[in-house]
Amino acid sequence: QVQPVESGGGTVQVGWTLRLSCAVFNAFYGAAWFRPIPAKEREAVAGIIFINGTTRHAYSVRGRFAIARDVAKNIVYLEMDSLKPEDTALYYCAARASGSGDSFDSRSYPYWGQGTQVTVSS
């Protein structure tokens, strides 16, 4: 299994919480969650370095979303609180085996999942 596998998406109401999960392969350096936006192909939402847990969150989700990992299970989570309609998107998990490149640049990630849909209704 090389490609990440996402799960946990769904349809929720404004203000609700969702937790996305991403199963990744064994030897990887970091992972990140992306979502498409009109002005850009994909926007980075949050990223994490697997070995030490260092995280990075986009300004637009800071304080509401949190990325975390389970080292034993090789799973990366995205906890999404206080969801807004503008959070509606197909969320992709991406993984990389090295630390080269910007962690918020989609070109730094060679491995991508199929995405999981999050819909927030008002």
Side-chain angles (χ1 to χ4, degrees):
Q1 177 68 39
V2 175
Q3 304 305 121
V5 178
E6 306 98 333
S7 61
T11 299
V12 297
Q13 295 182 356
V14 170
W16 284 25
T17 295
L18 269 181
R19 188 176 76 163
L20 306 183
S21 299
C22 174
V24 295
F25 53 92
N26 287 331
F28 77 105
Y29 174 83
W33 289 94
F34 288 81
R35 64 187 181 187
I37 59 172
K40 203 173 179 180
E41 183 181 342
R42 287 177 184 174
E43 168 193 52
V45 175
I48 190 166
I49 298 174
F50 205 76
I51 192 169
N52 61 17
T54 300
T55 62
R56 180 181 178 186
H57 296 82
Y59 181 79
S60 59
V61 303
R62 208 166 291 171
R64 299 190 300 121
F65 291 11
I67 190 170
R69 91 281 194 224
D70 185 321
V71 175
K73 296 180 180 178
N74 286 327
I75 295 177
V76 176
Y77 300 101
L78 184 67
E79 178 88 8
M80 304 187 294
D81 298 328
S82 303
L83 282 162
K84 304 175 181 179
E86 51 264 42
D87 295 320
T88 295
L90 186 62
Y91 284 75
Y92 295 91
C93 178
R96 56 179 179 159
S98 74
S100 62
D102 184 349
S103 64
F104 267 27
D105 188 338
S106 61
R107 296 169 296 182
S108 299
Y109 296 86
Y111 308 106
W112 290 81
Q114 295 298 308
T116 184
Q117 178 67 37
V118 172
T119 302
V120 184
S121 60
S122 57

